[in-house]
């Protein structure tokens, strides 16, 4: 079974490096870079989820999904839509429902943060704001 570790908004795929290095069969672990799988499309949850489904469709066999925060939301959504593909599911700091008020407050904070604060995150300021705004309405 291939395992797919999905990072959150405030991280990149490399945030899993320490974890993967300590696991057996690390070669069976994939860590997609969420910003990259969007492939230039607008950063919205709908586009990100579609890109994630396409990514998973490119992996053969059952999947073991492990998601952190936004990665967990993607993993849970995928498991609900494609239960036949998911052999295991691990969710870390993942809400079962999008906390709309929390996203509204978070977007307010993001609006006043400088672009430099988003370096090393999965998405730049504009894309983070757009993604969170799209999830707030979900």
């Amino acid at each position: 079974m291939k395992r797919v570790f999905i990072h959150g908004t405030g991280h990149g795929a490399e945030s899993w490096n320490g974890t993967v290095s300590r696991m057996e069969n690390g070669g069976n672990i994939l860590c997609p870079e969420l910003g990259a799988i969007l492939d230039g499309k607008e950063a919205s949850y709908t586009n990100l989820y579609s890109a994630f489904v396409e990514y998973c469709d490119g992996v053969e066999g059952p999947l073991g999904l492990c998601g952190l925060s936004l990665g967990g939301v993607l993993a849970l959504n995928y498991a609900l839509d494609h239960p036949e593909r998911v052999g295991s599911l691990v969710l870390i700091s993942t809400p079962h429902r999008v906390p709309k008020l929390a996203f509204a407050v978070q977007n307010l904070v993001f609006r006043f943060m400088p672009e430099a604060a988003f370096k090393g995150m999965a998405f730049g300021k504009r894309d983070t704001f757009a993604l969170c705004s799209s999830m707030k309405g979900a």
Side-chain angles (χ1 to χ4, degrees):
M1 172 174 9
K2 284 284 189 181
R3 293 172 285 171
V4 182
F5 287 22
I6 314 116
H7 63 81
T9 308
H11 307 93
E14 77 285 345
S15 66
W16 292 110
N17 289 351
T19 302
V20 171
S21 72
R22 290 171 177 81
M23 297 186 73
E24 292 181 23
N25 280 335
N28 283 328
I29 299 173
L30 305 171
C31 301
E33 186 65 59
L34 296 181
I37 68 170
L38 267 174
D39 198 27
K41 294 182 185 116
E42 176 191 8
S44 69
Y45 183 76
T46 301
N47 288 344
L48 183 59
Y49 180 65
S50 294
F52 181 70
V53 169
E54 192 175 308
Y55 177 88
C56 290
D57 286 349
V59 180
E60 288 190 35
L63 302 173
L65 301 177
C66 176
L68 170 66
S69 189
L70 170 63
V73 173
L74 290 166
L76 180 57
N77 197 169
Y78 186 84
L80 290 170
D81 289 347
H82 305 277
E84 73 286 353
R85 293 283 331 271
V86 180
S88 64
L89 180 65
V90 177
L91 305 174
I92 306 164
S93 295
T94 301
H96 71 284
R97 196 171 347 132
V98 174
K100 295 176 185 188
L101 179 61
F103 271 83
V105 171
Q106 181 175 294
N107 272 357
L108 182 63
V109 171
F110 285 161
R111 182 180 304 275
F112 295 104
M113 289 173 59
E115 180 69 39
F118 292 83
K119 294 233 186 288
M121 291 177 65
F123 306 95
K125 180 176 181 172
R126 183 178 52 90
D127 287 342
T128 297
F129 189 76
L131 178 61
C132 290
S133 291
S134 73
M135 291 183 75
K136 185 176 65 174

